[in-house]
Amino acid sequence: MKAVRFHEYGNPSVLRYEDVEQPLPGAGQVRIRVAATSFNSVDGNIRGGFMQGPIPVKLPHTPGIDVAGTVDAVGEGVDGFAVGDDVIGFLPMDGTGAAAQYVLAPADILTPAPKSVPLADAAALPVVGLTAYQALFDHGKLTAGQRVLINGAGGAVGGYAVQLAKNAGAHVIATAGPRSSEAVTSAGADALIDHTTTSVTAAVTEPVDLALNLAPVAPDELAALVTLVRPGGVLVNTTVWMPAPSDEARDVRGIDLFVRSDANQLAQLVASTDRGELRVDVAERVPLAELPALHARAADGAVHGKVIVIPPAA
């Protein structure tokens, strides 16, 4: 089968499009004929060798932690999935990824794919959808009637965060640049702040219950977000290289989010998608052979929105 792998850490040029032996599922695993994976920023960090501590991978390594595809072989002891089932999942971050025609997956991380979007496009949902969900509800404890500030709402996680927060009955204040402002508004934001022209701290005049930071801001900008949170509220930060600040005097907690795979939560996101409550946006569809070029564009800051990566037909 065809796959993209890197045999050593380094810049995007270490990625090779090559022939790899097709894997066989072990106990508790299924083999998936990949319809698509997606690009996540962590893929570039793993490839560059910056995540060897928290995410140790075995070289050569195939990236791609999102998967959408069709079960084509089932290992021993697997219940609930059969050959021919369309599935999606968030693969183990330290395991072999889905930038290939086939990938093995633990059956317990998978959920049936949404029926309302093309199977390949569903690869845009797992990692970023779960990041948004866990930030808002596991850590932020968001409930109806609360005010939430989503800083950096124009990215892939932000699009889901705005929709999920709005669907939960929250008042959503979002920051975004001109390029993504229309998408953020259509996702349901009640108020939009253009961060390229306006200070967030000046624009938010009433305290929020939850601030969610999705943007690679400077430490002083992240600290400023804490001042916008009411006493007893929460700041959830996804830029994990910069710890979330707190304000103990006002009981404002800072939480760093490390997204985890959760098939039950992913099933909830799928159900919301099929009910028409959650929009799955795909900015680009890139052939697998062009994944090295996609990594290079991302390293240059030239990738915007969610990009799915499609292998050749198996």
Side-chain angles (χ1 to χ4, degrees):
M1 68 174 187
K2 291 294 186 183
V4 170
R5 303 193 298 179
F6 56 88
H7 295 247
E8 60 277 330
Y9 297 111
N11 66 34
S13 68
V14 301
L15 292 166
R16 304 181 196 171
Y17 182 59
E18 58 192 12
D19 290 308
V20 179
E21 189 172 339
Q22 194 178 107
L24 296 173
Q29 293 181 319
V30 302
R31 185 173 65 201
I32 299 169
R33 185 172 71 250
V34 177
T37 184
S38 85
F39 176 80
N40 291 284
S41 58
V42 71
D43 294 326
N45 290 330
I46 293 172
R47 182 215 70 238
F50 307 120
M51 305 294 286
Q52 294 180 57
I55 310 173
V57 299
K58 181 181 177 182
L59 299 178
H61 177 70
T62 303
I65 52 178
D66 282 309
V67 66
T70 304
V71 175
D72 96 313
V74 177
E76 183 183 348
V78 171
D79 294 318
F81 292 105
V83 171
D85 288 349
D86 290 340
V87 294
I88 63 171
F90 173 4
L91 296 169
M93 297 179 80
D94 59 354
T96 301
Q101 289 178 301
Y102 294 88
V103 69
L104 299 181
D108 59 7
I109 63 103
L110 300 171
T111 198
K115 302 188 184 313
S116 57
V117 298
L119 180 58
D121 286 6
L125 179 60
V127 172
V128 288
L130 287 169
T131 300
Y133 186 95
Q134 291 167 18
L136 292 171
F137 305 115
D138 287 1
H139 299 295
K141 310 297 183 187
L142 186 69
T143 58
Q146 290 189 322
R147 290 166 54 83
V148 57
L149 169 64
I150 301 173
N151 191 48
V157 175
Y160 289 112
V162 171
Q163 293 180 79
L164 290 169
K166 191 62 181 174
N167 291 346
H171 179 84
V172 181
I173 305 162
T175 75
R179 182 179 55 242
S180 51
S181 60
E182 184 177 336
V184 171
T185 301
S186 67
D190 296 287
L192 182 68
I193 301 167
D194 181 350
H195 65 81
T196 66
T197 62
T198 308
S199 161
V200 178
T201 50
V204 179
T205 55
E206 292 181 52
V208 298
D209 300 277
L210 166 64
L212 171 55
N213 180 58
L214 306 172
V217 296
D220 60 324
E221 294 175 277
L222 186 60
L225 295 180
V226 176
T227 68
L228 304 176
V229 180
R230 66 161 176 79
V234 182
L235 166 69
V236 178
N237 176 47
T238 63
T239 54
V240 293
W241 62 87
M242 186 167 50
S246 301
D247 184 344
E248 294 182 7
R250 297 192 307 116
D251 190 29
V252 175
R253 292 179 300 128
I255 297 173
D256 293 305
L257 170 68
F258 296 87
V259 64
R260 58 184 176 82
S261 185
D262 189 308
N264 291 328
Q265 289 180 353
L266 188 54
Q268 293 180 54
L269 296 174
V270 167
S272 294
T273 301
D274 282 340
R275 288 194 300 265
E277 299 168 357
L278 196 62
R279 186 178 72 203
V280 175
D281 288 325
V282 174
E284 289 184 71
R285 297 166 181 84
V286 172
L288 178 62
E290 296 178 17
L291 183 59
L294 174 61
H295 272 242
R297 284 198 289 131
D300 290 337
V303 172
H304 307 290
K306 195 64 178 165
V307 181
I308 63 168
V309 179
I310 301 173

